[in-house]
Amino acid sequence: QVQLVDAGGGLVQAGGSLRLSCAASGRAFSNYGMGWFRQAPGKEREFVAAISPAGGATYYADSVKGRFTISRDNAKNTASLQMNSLKPEDTAVYYCAATLYYVSANERRYDYWGQGTQVTVSS
């Protein structure tokens, strides 16, 4: 069992930055690939970024590539999502999630989820 707590959301103007964090507790964090997903109002949840258990591999959705950076610190049991050059279309609830797969964009492969943190980007 892994418990995940998301934090760091807020209101920011377009072009600004936010850093989301995900604190994990429970079973060995370093065994899990981590991912970030988001869900905008009226839309399905979508993949944002993923990182391998040791952090050596990352994968991004095309919509955030070059603007967002996923990272992790296994010594601190945390994962982060640095979001730069934010756009109004990035507005959503953001969720971190853990998977025993190496790196995956498929939310069905994620077993544990944070509670979500709201990101609102104003134009």
Side-chain angles (χ1 to χ4, degrees):
Q1 190 83 6
V2 175
Q3 293 81 40
L4 302 174
V5 178
D6 308 317
L11 173 64
V12 64
Q13 288 189 330
S17 298
L18 278 176
R19 185 176 182 88
L20 305 183
S21 63
C22 178
S25 60
R27 291 189 174 181
F29 177 70
S30 59
N31 289 345
Y32 291 85
M34 296 298 295
W36 287 94
F37 293 78
R38 67 186 181 186
Q39 187 167 22
K43 295 188 177 181
E44 293 187 351
R45 188 159 55 189
E46 65 175 3
F47 169 75
V48 175
I51 189 166
S52 60
T58 56
Y59 181 53
Y60 296 93
D62 288 343
S63 59
V64 306
K65 204 172 293 183
R67 299 188 298 122
F68 291 11
T69 303
I70 189 171
S71 62
R72 66 188 297 159
D73 185 338
N74 286 346
K76 295 182 178 179
N77 285 4
T78 59
S80 298
L81 185 68
Q82 177 66 41
M83 306 186 294
N84 298 329
S85 303
L86 283 160
K87 305 175 181 180
E89 51 264 43
D90 294 318
T91 295
V93 177
Y94 284 71
Y95 300 88
C96 71
T99 177
L100 286 174
Y101 284 84
Y102 182 68
V103 172
S104 179
N106 185 346
E107 66 173 272
R108 295 193 182 108
R109 292 181 170 176
Y110 286 80
D111 300 304
Y112 305 103
W113 293 81
Q115 82 286 359
T117 185
Q118 176 71 48
V119 171
T120 303
V121 184
S122 63
S123 58

